[in-house]
Amino acid sequence: MRIEKQRYTERFGSVKINDVQKVLELDSGMRARLTLKEAIALDKIAGRRAKLALKEAIAVDKIEEGVIKDYEKKMAIVIPIKNEKLQLFEGVISGVPHECLIIVVSNSERKEADRFEMERDTLEQFCRFAQRQALIMHQKNPALALALAQAGYTDLLDEVGETVRDGKSEGMVIGLLMAMLARKEYVGFVDADNYFPGAVWEYVKCYAAGFSISRSPYAMVRILWRYKPKLSGQIYFKKWGRVSGTTNKCFNSLISAKTGFETDIIKTANAGEHAMSVRLAEILPFASGYAVEPQELVSLFEDFSGVLPTANQRAARDGIEIFQIESRNPHFHEERGTAHLREMLLQGLGTVYHSLLCDEETKRMIIRELLAQRALKRGEEPAKPNINRPPQKVNIKSFIDFMAERVDSYSALKG
Ligand code: GDP
Ligand code: CO
């Protein structure tokens, strides 16, 4: 794969935010066999070719297939799912590169039609034919709640404390903990409502590419789609959605106010398709519901920008690297209507609004935007997000030990 090199990076304390890097070529061919030195030693023509390759390296990163596969081996792909069409789910799992461990966390209905059972069947069949491992569990499984309670991670449980709360974010955190159980070093998230398996495949390649160029063990890759097509009579390849455009603007306003330099560096505030090193995930708080992706950024800024007390000295020393990689495949997923979009906007902007870093000007901007897009009534404020503590604050080992004993019942390819 070839992607643009990091050409522009903004630093916010220990957080390095890289500007968008485009995917230039999905498949970059065979491994270059000669180094520059070897080539010059062999002959001049080859030397010239190698020099050209070196020139390319100034603007372009070529990430070899083998390197990508090495990262995929160390990566779990978590798929949160709630009542999606089975055909979509089947397509999504078929797009996850073979070396990755698939972890499905489902909150689908288990009434007359047991959708979870159908998902499990589909996954099991896939694993049998593709000869691969996967884990699948239901978010409301009582054993899961018990394991979390034992680990002291009651943040994820409902008031009664017997089941995990609803929410995509809660599903993501469970997937993350299961990735730790499987001793993975990276965890990537992919929604189950993706229409194109090829896009899923590319997202994972982008995750691997990002991790391979990161110099810090604390790394995050967020996907920006080249297009997000809309259907209204005919297809239109739209680039920016209203929710993402607005959320990015408010994030940039917050950073600009703090640094005194206007910026537009944040382009993936809402990126559902994103991945991080487990080292980073461990120290990150996760907000409930649709606030989760924007809150990750807010938390990183709060904990590591140096404006507030630093949350983790080690991570601050190594630095936190955020990559924003633009995929080639358009993003096409289930459309859920205006009410859903308003809710996403409201929850996303709530994270910025309630951040300790947020200035009055940005707060006014947020209220203005929410009123204009009818996500809020006059005189109201966005609700404060519910933030779950970082996994590191609880007894992860206790969770892992508890679940490890039962892992066979979650495994899609047994034995
Ligand atoms: P959007 O793509 O950001 O508009 O959000 P979606 O509504 O498509 O949700 C993203 C993903 O999370 C989809 O795969 C959903 O099926 C899944 N999802 C939504 N709610 C839940 C939940 O409560 N639990 C789990 N595990 N997954 C969920
Ligand atoms: Co979606």
Side-chain angles (χ1 to χ4, degrees), residues 242-244 247 270 288-294 336-351 369-370 373-377 380-386:
R242 264 225 290 207
V243 172
S244 54
T247 315
N270 275 313
S288 295
Y290 291 109
V292 60
E293 291 94 0
R336 291 182 217 279
T338 319
H340 171 76
L341 292 180
R342 283 187 186 140
E343 193 52 36
M344 281 199 66
L345 185 71
L346 186 62
Q347 292 191 17
L349 288 183
T351 69
E369 290 291 346
L370 288 172
Q373 301 199 29
R374 297 191 188 177
L376 205 64
K377 293 204 185 78
E380 287 180 344
E381 272 192 341
K384 220 176 167 157
N386 173 49

Side-chain angles (χ1 to χ4, degrees), residues 84 191-194 273 331-336 340:
E84 301 295 351
D191 286 352
D193 66 335
N194 271 295
E273 261 65 33
H331 185 64
F332 209 35
H333 68 151
E334 286 284 85
E335 281 303 334
R336 291 182 217 279
H340 171 76

